[in-house]
Amino acid sequence: MKFLFSSLVILLSSITGSAHAEPTPGPVVDPTSICNGEVCSEPMINIVDGFRDGQGGFADESLTGYSGKCFHLSPHYNADKAHHGGFIFDKSQAPVGIAGRFNFFYEEDPYSGMTAQEMKDGFVQSGGNLSPGMETANDVQLAHIYDEIDIRYWYRSDTTKRNLFVIGSTSDKSGNVAAAVFCKMNRH
């Protein structure tokens, strides 16, 4: 149940307004260290490798969208089974606005063929408002800080800006990771 909560946090926080984005209360997990100790599947490790080689600067238009396969590190999901997700990055507001959704047990990417605007419209229609992100030279970050848990996402692209690597984690205030998600997404 805790993992399902972490996967839907972007949608839920926009509806409830109980989360707030802050750069850091509590220890921040290095997203590339989540797979230390051989706990991740091969697809997850490949995404971590892409993330390590990645860069920031991919949200270079007023609205940018990405979607693709996601792998969840949780006792509730098979770490080798691909699920899907999508994120949009809206530069019309400062800081960059981010909205997204994870879709479980779809055989194909439900956002395939959509424009970034169509993705945004779909997120807004289902209650997903933009959350303020933080853009650095190396990546884009999103943090939802609650009393008991921190939910964070890190985003980097390859040099072509066509592929986005996403690592997300749900951790307690001590920095212990309870669940994680690893995605490789394609630009719309």
Side-chain angles (χ1 to χ4, degrees):
M1 184 67 168
K2 184 184 250 187
F3 180 72
L4 179 59
F5 176 73
S6 70
S7 297
L8 299 175
V9 72
I10 293 174
L11 174 63
L12 293 176
S13 67
S14 65
I15 294 169
T16 66
S18 62
H20 53 280
E22 293 180 9
T24 18
V28 177
V29 173
D30 170 7
T32 62
S33 71
I34 294 171
C35 288
N36 292 351
E38 301 178 22
V39 296
C40 292
S41 65
E42 186 175 335
M44 293 173 180
I45 292 168
N46 291 337
I47 291 167
V48 169
D49 290 343
F51 183 89
R52 275 192 187 110
D53 295 337
Q55 62 186 25
F58 59 87
D60 55 356
E61 297 177 9
S62 60
L63 186 63
T64 309
Y66 288 89
S67 71
K69 293 181 179 180
C70 297
F71 300 87
H72 296 269
L73 183 61
S74 162
H76 305 289
Y77 298 100
N78 177 341
D80 289 304
K81 169 77 172 139
H83 298 277
H84 294 88
F87 287 95
I88 55 127
F89 302 88
D90 189 340
K91 297 277 286 209
S92 66
Q93 61 179 8
V96 61
I98 303 170
R101 173 158 299 139
F102 294 108
N103 304 91
F104 296 90
F105 305 108
Y106 282 67
E107 291 301 317
E108 295 185 22
D109 181 353
Y111 305 108
S112 179
M114 289 181 154
T115 66
Q117 186 63 53
E118 289 169 332
M119 289 174 67
K120 180 180 179 180
D121 293 345
F123 294 161
V124 169
Q125 242 180 10
S126 61
N129 295 322
L130 295 169
S131 296
M134 183 173 67
E135 193 168 12
T136 72
N138 298 320
D139 57 21
V140 173
Q141 300 174 23
L142 178 64
H144 291 282
I145 311 301
Y146 297 89
D147 291 338
E148 300 297 321
I149 61 171
D150 291 356
I151 301 170
R152 297 176 186 269
Y153 296 92
W154 297 265
Y155 310 88
R156 288 184 181 169
S157 73
D158 63 7
T159 56
T160 67
K161 301 180 185 176
R162 286 189 212 136
N163 295 295
L164 183 70
F165 301 96
V166 181
I167 301 176
S169 73
T170 301
S171 60
D172 64 20
K173 293 299 179 184
S174 299
N176 299 312
V177 175
V181 62
F182 303 82
C183 305
K184 181 179 180 188
M185 300 183 166
N186 300 310
R187 190 172 180 140
H188 287 242

PDB file of all heavy atoms in Angstrom, residues 9-47:
ATOM      1  N   VAL A   9       1.879   9.757  -6.023  1.00  0.00           N
ATOM      2  CA  VAL A   9       2.033  10.978  -5.242  1.00  0.00           C
ATOM      3  C   VAL A   9       1.871  12.258  -6.058  1.00  0.00           C
ATOM      4  O   VAL A   9       1.333  13.232  -5.563  1.00  0.00           O
ATOM      5  CB  VAL A   9       3.376  11.000  -4.488  1.00  0.00           C
ATOM      6  CG1 VAL A   9       4.529  11.217  -5.442  1.00  0.00           C
ATOM      7  CG2 VAL A   9       3.336  12.085  -3.438  1.00  0.00           C
ATOM      8  N   ILE A  10       2.305  12.274  -7.275  1.00  0.00           N
ATOM      9  CA  ILE A  10       2.190  13.504  -8.056  1.00  0.00           C
ATOM     10  C   ILE A  10       0.724  13.869  -8.228  1.00  0.00           C
ATOM     11  O   ILE A  10       0.334  15.007  -8.037  1.00  0.00           O
ATOM     12  CB  ILE A  10       2.899  13.367  -9.414  1.00  0.00           C
ATOM     13  CG1 ILE A  10       4.408  13.235  -9.183  1.00  0.00           C
ATOM     14  CG2 ILE A  10       2.614  14.558 -10.305  1.00  0.00           C
ATOM     15  CD1 ILE A  10       5.200  12.964 -10.419  1.00  0.00           C
ATOM     16  N   LEU A  11      -0.102  12.883  -8.553  1.00  0.00           N
ATOM     17  CA  LEU A  11      -1.530  13.137  -8.691  1.00  0.00           C
ATOM     18  C   LEU A  11      -2.151  13.499  -7.344  1.00  0.00           C
ATOM     19  O   LEU A  11      -2.875  14.486  -7.225  1.00  0.00           O
ATOM     20  CB  LEU A  11      -2.231  11.915  -9.278  1.00  0.00           C
ATOM     21  CG  LEU A  11      -3.759  12.002  -9.346  1.00  0.00           C
ATOM     22  CD1 LEU A  11      -4.173  13.132 -10.272  1.00  0.00           C
ATOM     23  CD2 LEU A  11      -4.337  10.683  -9.794  1.00  0.00           C
ATOM     24  N   LEU A  12      -1.880  12.718  -6.326  1.00  0.00           N
ATOM     25  CA  LEU A  12      -2.503  12.943  -5.030  1.00  0.00           C
ATOM     26  C   LEU A  12      -2.111  14.273  -4.409  1.00  0.00           C
ATOM     27  O   LEU A  12      -2.941  14.959  -3.821  1.00  0.00           O
ATOM     28  CB  LEU A  12      -2.150  11.802  -4.067  1.00  0.00           C
ATOM     29  CG  LEU A  12      -2.735  10.449  -4.441  1.00  0.00           C
ATOM     30  CD1 LEU A  12      -2.228   9.387  -3.472  1.00  0.00           C
ATOM     31  CD2 LEU A  12      -4.234  10.498  -4.445  1.00  0.00           C
ATOM     32  N   SER A  13      -0.855  14.634  -4.514  1.00  0.00           N
ATOM     33  CA  SER A  13      -0.435  15.887  -3.892  1.00  0.00           C
ATOM     34  C   SER A  13      -1.084  17.086  -4.557  1.00  0.00           C
ATOM     35  O   SER A  13      -1.360  18.085  -3.908  1.00  0.00           O
ATOM     36  CB  SER A  13       1.079  16.015  -3.921  1.00  0.00           C
ATOM     37  OG  SER A  13       1.528  16.167  -5.235  1.00  0.00           O
ATOM     38  N   SER A  14      -1.355  16.963  -5.840  1.00  0.00           N
ATOM     39  CA  SER A  14      -2.004  18.081  -6.503  1.00  0.00           C
ATOM     40  C   SER A  14      -3.465  18.212  -6.078  1.00  0.00           C
ATOM     41  O   SER A  14      -4.023  19.298  -6.065  1.00  0.00           O
ATOM     42  CB  SER A  14      -1.908  17.928  -8.018  1.00  0.00           C
ATOM     43  OG  SER A  14      -2.636  16.809  -8.441  1.00  0.00           O
ATOM     44  N   ILE A  15      -4.090  17.093  -5.713  1.00  0.00           N
ATOM     45  CA  ILE A  15      -5.482  17.130  -5.283  1.00  0.00           C
ATOM     46  C   ILE A  15      -5.585  17.581  -3.829  1.00  0.00           C
ATOM     47  O   ILE A  15      -6.363  18.455  -3.494  1.00  0.00           O
ATOM     48  CB  ILE A  15      -6.134  15.742  -5.453  1.00  0.00           C
ATOM     49  CG1 ILE A  15      -6.222  15.394  -6.934  1.00  0.00           C
ATOM     50  CG2 ILE A  15      -7.506  15.704  -4.808  1.00  0.00           C
ATOM     51  CD1 ILE A  15      -6.606  13.968  -7.206  1.00  0.00           C
ATOM     52  N   THR A  16      -4.769  16.996  -2.968  1.00  0.00           N
ATOM     53  CA  THR A  16      -4.885  17.272  -1.533  1.00  0.00           C
ATOM     54  C   THR A  16      -4.162  18.530  -1.108  1.00  0.00           C
ATOM     55  O   THR A  16      -4.526  19.147  -0.119  1.00  0.00           O
ATOM     56  CB  THR A  16      -4.319  16.107  -0.708  1.00  0.00           C
ATOM     57  OG1 THR A  16      -2.913  16.020  -0.938  1.00  0.00           O
ATOM     58  CG2 THR A  16      -5.007  14.807  -1.037  1.00  0.00           C
ATOM     59  N   GLY A  17      -3.091  18.859  -1.787  1.00  0.00           N
ATOM     60  CA  GLY A  17      -2.309  20.027  -1.417  1.00  0.00           C
ATOM     61  C   GLY A  17      -1.548  19.845  -0.120  1.00  0.00           C
ATOM     62  O   GLY A  17      -0.999  20.789   0.414  1.00  0.00           O
ATOM     63  N   SER A  18      -1.450  18.626   0.409  1.00  0.00           N
ATOM     64  CA  SER A  18      -0.791  18.421   1.687  1.00  0.00           C
ATOM     65  C   SER A  18       0.719  18.277   1.569  1.00  0.00           C
ATOM     66  O   SER A  18       1.419  18.338   2.555  1.00  0.00           O
ATOM     67  CB  SER A  18      -1.366  17.186   2.386  1.00  0.00           C
ATOM     68  OG  SER A  18      -1.119  16.041   1.605  1.00  0.00           O
ATOM     69  N   ALA A  19       1.221  18.065   0.392  1.00  0.00           N
ATOM     70  CA  ALA A  19       2.670  17.974   0.218  1.00  0.00           C
ATOM     71  C   ALA A  19       3.200  19.336  -0.165  1.00  0.00           C
ATOM     72  O   ALA A  19       2.493  20.166  -0.711  1.00  0.00           O
ATOM     73  CB  ALA A  19       2.998  16.974  -0.878  1.00  0.00           C
ATOM     74  N   HIS A  20       4.457  19.547   0.134  1.00  0.00           N
ATOM     75  CA  HIS A  20       5.082  20.774  -0.314  1.00  0.00           C
ATOM     76  C   HIS A  20       6.466  20.463  -0.835  1.00  0.00           C
ATOM     77  O   HIS A  20       7.144  19.581  -0.343  1.00  0.00           O
ATOM     78  CB  HIS A  20       5.132  21.818   0.799  1.00  0.00           C
ATOM     79  CG  HIS A  20       5.744  21.322   2.069  1.00  0.00           C
ATOM     80  ND1 HIS A  20       5.040  20.546   2.973  1.00  0.00           N
ATOM     81  CD2 HIS A  20       6.975  21.473   2.584  1.00  0.00           C
ATOM     82  CE1 HIS A  20       5.815  20.255   4.000  1.00  0.00           C
ATOM     83  NE2 HIS A  20       7.002  20.798   3.789  1.00  0.00           N
ATOM     84  N   ALA A  21       6.842  21.149  -1.894  1.00  0.00           N
ATOM     85  CA  ALA A  21       8.139  20.904  -2.499  1.00  0.00           C
ATOM     86  C   ALA A  21       9.173  21.745  -1.777  1.00  0.00           C
ATOM     87  O   ALA A  21       9.000  22.938  -1.600  1.00  0.00           O
ATOM     88  CB  ALA A  21       8.105  21.272  -3.979  1.00  0.00           C
ATOM     89  N   GLU A  22      10.209  21.103  -1.354  1.00  0.00           N
ATOM     90  CA  GLU A  22      11.338  21.777  -0.722  1.00  0.00           C
ATOM     91  C   GLU A  22      12.585  21.066  -1.180  1.00  0.00           C
ATOM     92  O   GLU A  22      12.580  19.867  -1.388  1.00  0.00           O
ATOM     93  CB  GLU A  22      11.248  21.675   0.804  1.00  0.00           C
ATOM     94  CG  GLU A  22      10.098  22.440   1.398  1.00  0.00           C
ATOM     95  CD  GLU A  22      10.046  22.298   2.912  1.00  0.00           C
ATOM     96  OE1 GLU A  22      10.989  21.757   3.516  1.00  0.00           O
ATOM     97  OE2 GLU A  22       9.033  22.716   3.483  1.00  0.00           O
ATOM     98  N   PRO A  23      13.683  21.764  -1.293  1.00  0.00           N
ATOM     99  CA  PRO A  23      14.882  21.091  -1.739  1.00  0.00           C
ATOM    100  C   PRO A  23      15.369  20.006  -0.793  1.00  0.00           C
ATOM    101  O   PRO A  23      15.777  18.974  -1.219  1.00  0.00           O
ATOM    102  CB  PRO A  23      15.903  22.196  -1.858  1.00  0.00           C
ATOM    103  CG  PRO A  23      15.156  23.456  -1.775  1.00  0.00           C
ATOM    104  CD  PRO A  23      13.824  23.151  -1.207  1.00  0.00           C
ATOM    105  N   THR A  24      15.298  20.210   0.492  1.00  0.00           N
ATOM    106  CA  THR A  24      15.862  19.203   1.394  1.00  0.00           C
ATOM    107  C   THR A  24      15.411  19.134   2.812  1.00  0.00           C
ATOM    108  O   THR A  24      16.163  19.374   3.527  1.00  0.00           O
ATOM    109  CB  THR A  24      17.367  19.400   1.560  1.00  0.00           C
ATOM    110  OG1 THR A  24      17.737  20.603   1.176  1.00  0.00           O
ATOM    111  CG2 THR A  24      18.186  18.337   1.181  1.00  0.00           C
ATOM    112  N   PRO A  25      14.526  18.740   3.439  1.00  0.00           N
ATOM    113  CA  PRO A  25      14.543  18.346   4.836  1.00  0.00           C
ATOM    114  C   PRO A  25      14.874  16.862   4.884  1.00  0.00           C
ATOM    115  O   PRO A  25      14.393  16.140   4.066  1.00  0.00           O
ATOM    116  CB  PRO A  25      13.154  18.610   5.327  1.00  0.00           C
ATOM    117  CG  PRO A  25      12.398  19.105   4.175  1.00  0.00           C
ATOM    118  CD  PRO A  25      13.292  19.171   2.998  1.00  0.00           C
ATOM    119  N   GLY A  26      15.655  16.471   5.815  1.00  0.00           N
ATOM    120  CA  GLY A  26      16.053  15.071   5.953  1.00  0.00           C
ATOM    121  C   GLY A  26      17.130  14.703   4.959  1.00  0.00           C
ATOM    122  O   GLY A  26      17.449  15.461   4.064  1.00  0.00           O
ATOM    123  N   PRO A  27      17.729  13.511   5.128  1.00  0.00           N
ATOM    124  CA  PRO A  27      18.808  13.104   4.225  1.00  0.00           C
ATOM    125  C   PRO A  27      18.292  12.869   2.810  1.00  0.00           C
ATOM    126  O   PRO A  27      17.211  12.334   2.645  1.00  0.00           O
ATOM    127  CB  PRO A  27      19.312  11.799   4.826  1.00  0.00           C
ATOM    128  CG  PRO A  27      18.443  11.481   5.975  1.00  0.00           C
ATOM    129  CD  PRO A  27      17.450  12.570   6.148  1.00  0.00           C
ATOM    130  N   VAL A  28      19.062  13.275   1.839  1.00  0.00           N
ATOM    131  CA  VAL A  28      18.689  13.071   0.443  1.00  0.00           C
ATOM    132  C   VAL A  28      19.427  11.844  -0.067  1.00  0.00           C
ATOM    133  O   VAL A  28      20.635  11.727   0.085  1.00  0.00           O
ATOM    134  CB  VAL A  28      19.053  14.306  -0.414  1.00  0.00           C
ATOM    135  CG1 VAL A  28      18.731  14.062  -1.870  1.00  0.00           C
ATOM    136  CG2 VAL A  28      18.329  15.524   0.094  1.00  0.00           C
ATOM    137  N   VAL A  29      18.685  10.946  -0.656  1.00  0.00           N
ATOM    138  CA  VAL A  29      19.256   9.719  -1.203  1.00  0.00           C
ATOM    139  C   VAL A  29      19.953  10.050  -2.521  1.00  0.00           C
ATOM    140  O   VAL A  29      19.428  10.799  -3.337  1.00  0.00           O
ATOM    141  CB  VAL A  29      18.118   8.701  -1.458  1.00  0.00           C
ATOM    142  CG1 VAL A  29      18.624   7.478  -2.188  1.00  0.00           C
ATOM    143  CG2 VAL A  29      17.438   8.329  -0.166  1.00  0.00           C
ATOM    144  N   ASP A  30      21.143   9.481  -2.730  1.00  0.00           N
ATOM    145  CA  ASP A  30      21.790   9.562  -4.033  1.00  0.00           C
ATOM    146  C   ASP A  30      21.043   8.570  -4.924  1.00  0.00           C
ATOM    147  O   ASP A  30      21.078   7.363  -4.668  1.00  0.00           O
ATOM    148  CB  ASP A  30      23.260   9.189  -3.915  1.00  0.00           C
ATOM    149  CG  ASP A  30      23.944   9.014  -5.260  1.00  0.00           C
ATOM    150  OD1 ASP A  30      23.332   9.309  -6.319  1.00  0.00           O
ATOM    151  OD2 ASP A  30      25.106   8.564  -5.259  1.00  0.00           O
ATOM    152  N   PRO A  31      20.342   9.030  -5.947  1.00  0.00           N
ATOM    153  CA  PRO A  31      19.506   8.110  -6.722  1.00  0.00           C
ATOM    154  C   PRO A  31      20.291   6.986  -7.386  1.00  0.00           C
ATOM    155  O   PRO A  31      19.740   5.909  -7.612  1.00  0.00           O
ATOM    156  CB  PRO A  31      18.833   9.008  -7.754  1.00  0.00           C
ATOM    157  CG  PRO A  31      19.700  10.203  -7.862  1.00  0.00           C
ATOM    158  CD  PRO A  31      20.324  10.386  -6.510  1.00  0.00           C
ATOM    159  N   THR A  32      21.568   7.206  -7.670  1.00  0.00           N
ATOM    160  CA  THR A  32      22.350   6.144  -8.317  1.00  0.00           C
ATOM    161  C   THR A  32      22.799   5.077  -7.332  1.00  0.00           C
ATOM    162  O   THR A  32      23.290   4.030  -7.741  1.00  0.00           O
ATOM    163  CB  THR A  32      23.575   6.720  -9.042  1.00  0.00           C
ATOM    164  OG1 THR A  32      24.437   7.341  -8.091  1.00  0.00           O
ATOM    165  CG2 THR A  32      23.156   7.725 -10.108  1.00  0.00           C
ATOM    166  N   SER A  33      22.625   5.302  -6.032  1.00  0.00           N
ATOM    167  CA  SER A  33      23.051   4.313  -5.035  1.00  0.00           C
ATOM    168  C   SER A  33      21.920   3.373  -4.616  1.00  0.00           C
ATOM    169  O   SER A  33      22.163   2.435  -3.864  1.00  0.00           O
ATOM    170  CB  SER A  33      23.618   5.016  -3.800  1.00  0.00           C
ATOM    171  OG  SER A  33      22.578   5.646  -3.081  1.00  0.00           O
ATOM    172  N   ILE A  34      20.710   3.606  -5.087  1.00  0.00           N
ATOM    173  CA  ILE A  34      19.576   2.769  -4.681  1.00  0.00           C
ATOM    174  C   ILE A  34      19.802   1.310  -5.064  1.00  0.00           C
ATOM    175  O   ILE A  34      19.408   0.408  -4.341  1.00  0.00           O
ATOM    176  CB  ILE A  34      18.256   3.306  -5.280  1.00  0.00           C
ATOM    177  CG1 ILE A  34      17.938   4.670  -4.678  1.00  0.00           C
ATOM    178  CG2 ILE A  34      17.104   2.331  -5.049  1.00  0.00           C
ATOM    179  CD1 ILE A  34      16.789   5.394  -5.349  1.00  0.00           C
ATOM    180  N   CYS A  35      20.467   1.067  -6.184  1.00  0.00           N
ATOM    181  CA  CYS A  35      20.686  -0.310  -6.644  1.00  0.00           C
ATOM    182  C   CYS A  35      21.926  -0.960  -6.043  1.00  0.00           C
ATOM    183  O   CYS A  35      22.232  -2.101  -6.385  1.00  0.00           O
ATOM    184  CB  CYS A  35      20.779  -0.343  -8.168  1.00  0.00           C
ATOM    185  SG  CYS A  35      19.186  -0.081  -8.955  1.00  0.00           S
ATOM    186  N   ASN A  36      22.663  -0.288  -5.183  1.00  0.00           N
ATOM    187  CA  ASN A  36      23.820  -0.907  -4.536  1.00  0.00           C
ATOM    188  C   ASN A  36      23.363  -2.129  -3.761  1.00  0.00           C
ATOM    189  O   ASN A  36      22.300  -2.132  -3.164  1.00  0.00           O
ATOM    190  CB  ASN A  36      24.515   0.078  -3.611  1.00  0.00           C
ATOM    191  CG  ASN A  36      25.186   1.211  -4.368  1.00  0.00           C
ATOM    192  OD1 ASN A  36      25.271   1.187  -5.590  1.00  0.00           O
ATOM    193  ND2 ASN A  36      25.655   2.193  -3.651  1.00  0.00           N
ATOM    194  N   GLY A  37      24.171  -3.156  -3.761  1.00  0.00           N
ATOM    195  CA  GLY A  37      23.803  -4.370  -3.053  1.00  0.00           C
ATOM    196  C   GLY A  37      23.026  -5.347  -3.916  1.00  0.00           C
ATOM    197  O   GLY A  37      22.423  -6.278  -3.405  1.00  0.00           O
ATOM    198  N   GLU A  38      22.999  -5.139  -5.213  1.00  0.00           N
ATOM    199  CA  GLU A  38      22.380  -6.056  -6.175  1.00  0.00           C
ATOM    200  C   GLU A  38      20.898  -6.301  -5.917  1.00  0.00           C
ATOM    201  O   GLU A  38      20.393  -7.401  -6.093  1.00  0.00           O
ATOM    202  CB  GLU A  38      23.146  -7.377  -6.203  1.00  0.00           C
ATOM    203  CG  GLU A  38      24.600  -7.191  -6.586  1.00  0.00           C
ATOM    204  CD  GLU A  38      25.377  -8.498  -6.561  1.00  0.00           C
ATOM    205  OE1 GLU A  38      24.767  -9.574  -6.652  1.00  0.00           O
ATOM    206  OE2 GLU A  38      26.598  -8.414  -6.459  1.00  0.00           O
ATOM    207  N   VAL A  39      20.161  -5.280  -5.512  1.00  0.00           N
ATOM    208  CA  VAL A  39      18.729  -5.440  -5.266  1.00  0.00           C
ATOM    209  C   VAL A  39      17.888  -5.125  -6.497  1.00  0.00           C
ATOM    210  O   VAL A  39      16.696  -5.393  -6.505  1.00  0.00           O
ATOM    211  CB  VAL A  39      18.255  -4.557  -4.092  1.00  0.00           C
ATOM    212  CG1 VAL A  39      18.921  -4.988  -2.804  1.00  0.00           C
ATOM    213  CG2 VAL A  39      18.499  -3.085  -4.364  1.00  0.00           C
ATOM    214  N   CYS A  40      18.473  -4.572  -7.522  1.00  0.00           N
ATOM    215  CA  CYS A  40      17.718  -4.130  -8.695  1.00  0.00           C
ATOM    216  C   CYS A  40      17.789  -5.148  -9.829  1.00  0.00           C
ATOM    217  O   CYS A  40      18.737  -5.910  -9.950  1.00  0.00           O
ATOM    218  CB  CYS A  40      18.263  -2.796  -9.187  1.00  0.00           C
ATOM    219  SG  CYS A  40      17.937  -1.438  -8.047  1.00  0.00           S
ATOM    220  N   SER A  41      16.784  -5.089 -10.690  1.00  0.00           N
ATOM    221  CA  SER A  41      16.749  -5.925 -11.890  1.00  0.00           C
ATOM    222  C   SER A  41      17.668  -5.324 -12.951  1.00  0.00           C
ATOM    223  O   SER A  41      18.097  -4.169 -12.857  1.00  0.00           O
ATOM    224  CB  SER A  41      15.315  -6.024 -12.418  1.00  0.00           C
ATOM    225  OG  SER A  41      14.864  -4.752 -12.854  1.00  0.00           O
ATOM    226  N   GLU A  42      17.939  -6.099 -13.982  1.00  0.00           N
ATOM    227  CA  GLU A  42      18.798  -5.624 -15.064  1.00  0.00           C
ATOM    228  C   GLU A  42      18.242  -4.363 -15.742  1.00  0.00           C
ATOM    229  O   GLU A  42      18.991  -3.421 -15.996  1.00  0.00           O
ATOM    230  CB  GLU A  42      19.035  -6.727 -16.092  1.00  0.00           C
ATOM    231  CG  GLU A  42      20.034  -6.327 -17.158  1.00  0.00           C
ATOM    232  CD  GLU A  42      20.356  -7.470 -18.108  1.00  0.00           C
ATOM    233  OE1 GLU A  42      20.221  -8.642 -17.722  1.00  0.00           O
ATOM    234  OE2 GLU A  42      20.749  -7.169 -19.245  1.00  0.00           O
ATOM    235  N   PRO A  43      16.916  -4.296 -16.036  1.00  0.00           N
ATOM    236  CA  PRO A  43      16.406  -3.049 -16.630  1.00  0.00           C
ATOM    237  C   PRO A  43      16.637  -1.827 -15.726  1.00  0.00           C
ATOM    238  O   PRO A  43      16.930  -0.737 -16.216  1.00  0.00           O
ATOM    239  CB  PRO A  43      14.916  -3.321 -16.815  1.00  0.00           C
ATOM    240  CG  PRO A  43      14.777  -4.799 -16.864  1.00  0.00           C
ATOM    241  CD  PRO A  43      15.861  -5.333 -15.977  1.00  0.00           C
ATOM    242  N   MET A  44      16.510  -2.014 -14.418  1.00  0.00           N
ATOM    243  CA  MET A  44      16.744  -0.903 -13.483  1.00  0.00           C
ATOM    244  C   MET A  44      18.194  -0.454 -13.525  1.00  0.00           C
ATOM    245  O   MET A  44      18.482   0.750 -13.553  1.00  0.00           O
ATOM    246  CB  MET A  44      16.384  -1.319 -12.059  1.00  0.00           C
ATOM    247  CG  MET A  44      14.918  -1.580 -11.846  1.00  0.00           C
ATOM    248  SD  MET A  44      14.665  -2.245 -10.190  1.00  0.00           S
ATOM    249  CE  MET A  44      12.894  -2.449 -10.186  1.00  0.00           C
ATOM    250  N   ILE A  45      19.112  -1.403 -13.545  1.00  0.00           N
ATOM    251  CA  ILE A  45      20.541  -1.074 -13.584  1.00  0.00           C
ATOM    252  C   ILE A  45      20.877  -0.349 -14.878  1.00  0.00           C
ATOM    253  O   ILE A  45      21.654   0.610 -14.887  1.00  0.00           O
ATOM    254  CB  ILE A  45      21.384  -2.351 -13.392  1.00  0.00           C
ATOM    255  CG1 ILE A  45      21.190  -2.857 -11.949  1.00  0.00           C
ATOM    256  CG2 ILE A  45      22.853  -2.101 -13.687  1.00  0.00           C
ATOM    257  CD1 ILE A  45      21.710  -4.248 -11.692  1.00  0.00           C
ATOM    258  N   ASN A  46      20.275  -0.763 -16.001  1.00  0.00           N
ATOM    259  CA  ASN A  46      20.501  -0.074 -17.278  1.00  0.00           C
ATOM    260  C   ASN A  46      20.012   1.376 -17.211  1.00  0.00           C
ATOM    261  O   ASN A  46      20.646   2.276 -17.771  1.00  0.00           O
ATOM    262  CB  ASN A  46      19.817  -0.818 -18.416  1.00  0.00           C
ATOM    263  CG  ASN A  46      20.473  -2.151 -18.710  1.00  0.00           C
ATOM    264  OD1 ASN A  46      21.642  -2.376 -18.406  1.00  0.00           O
ATOM    265  ND2 ASN A  46      19.718  -3.067 -19.289  1.00  0.00           N
ATOM    266  N   ILE A  47      18.896   1.601 -16.541  1.00  0.00           N
ATOM    267  CA  ILE A  47      18.375   2.970 -16.399  1.00  0.00           C
ATOM    268  C   ILE A  47      19.306   3.796 -15.510  1.00  0.00           C
ATOM    269  O   ILE A  47      19.595   4.961 -15.817  1.00  0.00           O
ATOM    270  CB  ILE A  47      16.930   2.946 -15.871  1.00  0.00           C
ATOM    271  CG1 ILE A  47      16.009   2.375 -16.957  1.00  0.00           C
ATOM    272  CG2 ILE A  47      16.480   4.341 -15.424  1.00  0.00           C
ATOM    273  CD1 ILE A  47      14.617   2.000 -16.490  1.00  0.00           C
TER     274      ILE A  47
END
